[in-house]
Amino acid sequence: MPPRNPTIHDVAREAGASIATVSRALNGGVVSPAARDRIEQAVALLGYRRNDVARGLVTGRTGLVGVIVPDLIGPLYAQMARGIEDVLEARGMHAMVVTDHREPEAERRAVEVLRARQVDGLVLIGSSLPETELRTAAGGVPVALVQREGPQTGFPEVRLDDVAGVRAVVAHLISLGHRRIGHLAGRRRDGVERRDAFVAALRTAGLEPGPLVESDFTEDGGATAAPRLLDDGDVTAVFCGNDRMAVGLLHAAANRGIAVPHDLSVVGFDDLTWARYLTPALTTVRQPGRELGRTAARLVLVPPTDAVATPLLRTPELVVRSSTAPPRAAGAARTGAAAPPAEEVIAPPHEPTPR
Amino acid sequence: MPPRNPTIHDVAREAGASIATVSRALNGGVVSPAARDRIEQAVALLGYRRNDVARGLVTGRTGLVGVIVPDLIGPLYAQMARGIEDVLEARGMHAMVVTDHREPEAERRAVEVLRARQVDGLVLIGSSLPETELRTAAGGVPVALVQREGPQTGFPEVRLDDVAGVRAVVAHLISLGHRRIGHLAGRRRDGVERRDAFVAALRTAGLEPGPLVESDFTEDGGATAAPRLLDDGDVTAVFCGNDRMAVGLLHAAANRGIAVPHDLSVVGFDDLTWARYLTPALTTVRQPGRELGRTAARLVLVPPTDAVATPLLRTPELVVRSSTAPPRAAGAARTGAAAPPAEEVIAPPHEPTPR
DNA sequence: TTGTACGCGTTATCAC
DNA sequence: GTGATAACGCGTACAA
């Protein structure tokens, strides 16, 4: 049997001090230099390591923030997790990440597990639990929401300003000269939001939306829904609800011999890592995942006293690459910039959506 | 001030039982049906939730396995984490994931943090700490290694059978008729391993390797190193040490007007999510990340009694897509299969490397 | 079957 | 400055 880990008692004995003094020395309390010295030596000699479990029991705080995330495979959520760790690390805290695969039941269990572990806070990404349930499940612990699926809640929340992102896309396409623009919408809440924003932005510009197709937020979803968009001979541009659908559309277009961007402009949403490596490189809207994570972490750590400015909106950036160009039967396009940029250009952030 | 969480004492009082009985009831011990009933009601009434911190203190086990991973942005490590969670979840345990961004210093800190939290085991992915240091840092807790960077250790370990993967690539290219094959190697340990395996496989087939170029394991690394490969007019195929470099090479080739696979075949390694969406879709070697994670988790939970079969080797699969084809000045290629497959084909796993 | 009482390793509150 | 000592919430001998 391995010799059990040294405890604070062992250190105290070895250093000829009381455990109280050792505890103070370890936590930066007032201790005479001599004692501190002996204690440090004892710690080094024994290889003592503080037991954070015992510490958590007495202090009532664990230095742990629970993070519930749909999955970690897609880069977006991973970046949010990274952002959360950024701010926790700065405070000597840590994240405990649990995935729920978008299943409410798994989300419920995750909250239970994390609460049982006495986390100091909870960050829920893409949560879909009803507010009342969330409130009882969370009990006393601070909660912050990121990109929640569902109606407004009383919890502090960060989300992407989808409306601003969509507006930037529409403005970009219109400035290129496109007049009949289709949309490939995802079935989730954010998909619907983007579609509505799309229609609204178009109407504001005095245009009627082209074909509006709904499908899954996946590559296959994009590919299978593609015909319903491509059959409309007048459509010169398609805005996809996310990058994954855009890839499916791109493939479907290629199979039909439709050249992008010459015959058709395509825009995505998210700016996944690989969007720039597609052929053609995808024009899309970049989600500031890491920053969303950072603000969410700050929101759990210091919950806003009053419920002002909920949800916080983070503005995305339009990333123009080579999947967009003036429409073939151009002419109107000549009014805008001279030529499409040869390399990647990031449009300045737009105004946050007024609320 | 919020009413503090109910404890096992509260439940005991409410149910008119002792805490021992409550504890037994909660942990599936022997309790009279009547008592169990009253206790369950009390639990529901009070909304009692077990405090895993206190429980961990007394049992000495936390049900937590610490996972140290280079990063979570790339899908490969995320999949490994997923695999680890698969087997932990089945046992009611959980993973605490910490990223080290490939910095030994951060890895050291991560081990400290996780040990202080009394994890029941440690899975280190891509670890580069020397064995002796690892051993003292880990203290008594079980350790499993995945894709460790550095020489063989006494710890249980899983790794990909790189040699088998590379052999499959070389066999594929040779069967297509390629005779002069270049290689783009990554600077890390696995990069060197793959390069050596590449040279060996080629020699076994009676061929001399084409140009061997070393660079970073990134898209830029692939792009900047590309000229040194492409300037060799005789090279008809290039095997890249990973998918990210392959993307860089693909772009560089396109810029030079080199058609893939018509003028040049390109093979990657890893099969990242997006490899199939490249143009042309990338032929590559699929890493079974999730399965690597699963076996690693099993290794920590039940450490092998004797040090047999270390490291465990997992066999990758060759995924043939459209970035490989017979060389332009073919003829020799006509001996193989009739035509390149129109769609994705997964070659059967090859023999594990003999040891 | 049930209850009492001790201990897990630490912090915090007191006196000294 | 320092040292006893009482919690923290729970599991588990052991006795009843």
Side-chain angles (χ1 to χ4, degrees), chain A residues 33-53:
Chain A
R36 179 177 301 273
D37 223 51
R38 299 201 314 275
I39 289 172
E40 277 170 4
Q41 292 198 14
V43 165
L45 175 65
L46 301 176
Y48 168 78
R49 225 180 305 273
R50 180 178 61 202
N51 183 333
D52 278 343
V53 173

Side-chain angles (χ1 to χ4, degrees), chain B residues 26-47:
Chain B
L26 263 37
N27 297 324
V30 258
V31 179
S32 72
R36 180 179 299 275
D37 222 54
R38 299 200 315 275
I39 290 172
E40 277 171 4
Q41 292 199 14
V43 165
L45 175 65
L46 300 176

Side-chain angles (χ1 to χ4, degrees), chain B residues 161-238:
Chain B
D161 191 344
D162 273 351
V163 176
V166 172
R167 275 197 199 135
V169 169
V170 170
H172 170 62
L173 290 175
I174 290 182
S175 82
L176 285 174
H178 295 277
R179 292 298 173 261
R180 184 160 174 80
I181 307 172
H183 179 57
L184 192 44
R187 289 192 211 285
R188 291 202 316 252
R189 167 185 166 171
D190 38 354
V192 175
E193 264 182 18
R194 287 168 198 171
R195 184 197 38 158
D196 293 348
F198 170 74
V199 172
L202 233 37
R203 293 244 164 86
T204 301
L207 293 178
E208 275 308 297
L212 261 35
V213 176
E214 196 171 68
S215 190
D216 286 340
F217 256 157
T218 64
E219 292 82 6
D220 274 356
T224 58
R228 284 180 283 161
L229 284 159
L230 271 25
D231 284 344
D232 182 321
D234 294 336
V235 168
T236 62
V238 174

Side-chain angles (χ1 to χ4, degrees), chain A residues 16-35:
Chain A
S18 74
I19 58 171
T21 306
V22 175
S23 179
R24 275 189 289 261
L26 263 36
N27 297 323
V30 256
V31 179
S32 73

